[in-house]
């Protein structure tokens, strides 16, 4: 099962999925390990998170409980 965990003020952690580019070619990832995908736009290794969200002070929207209101 694919699971996407939205980290507070950080990346999306994805398990159980392949990451492919627009041609369908897979990015090399370590099997069985979570993949951190950038959602702040500042990574120099897109689509992967490189920790730049910390440097830029990325502030994300609130969590799922707040989104239900
Ligand atoms: S979320 Fe980590 S570099 Fe963008």
């Amino acid at each position: 099962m694919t699971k996407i965990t939205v980290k507070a003020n950080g990346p999306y952690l994805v398990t159980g999925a392949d990451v492919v580019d627009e041609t369908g070619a897979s990015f090399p990832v370590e099997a069985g390990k979570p993949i951190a995908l950038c959602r702040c736009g500042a990574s120099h290794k897109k689509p992967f998170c490189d920790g730049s969200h910390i440097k830029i002070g990325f502030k994300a929207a609130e969590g799922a409980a707040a989104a239900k209101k």
Side-chain angles (χ1 to χ4, degrees):
M1 179 175 100
T2 301
K3 180 178 179 183
I4 302 171
T5 303
V6 180
K7 299 298 290 180
N9 302 319
Y12 298 113
L13 288 185
V14 182
T15 56
D18 290 329
V19 181
V20 300
D21 68 13
E22 69 277 1
T23 69
S26 293
F27 286 91
V29 294
E30 233 177 289
K33 293 223 171 183
I35 301 160
L37 296 177
C38 178
R39 69 176 173 136
C40 75
S43 175
H44 297 284
K45 295 183 175 180
K46 292 183 187 93
F48 303 102
C49 170
D50 69 354
S52 292
H53 59 272
I54 296 168
K55 200 179 300 180
I56 68 166
F58 177 64
K59 297 290 182 213
E62 297 182 42
K68 290 180 181 174
K69 293 180 184 174

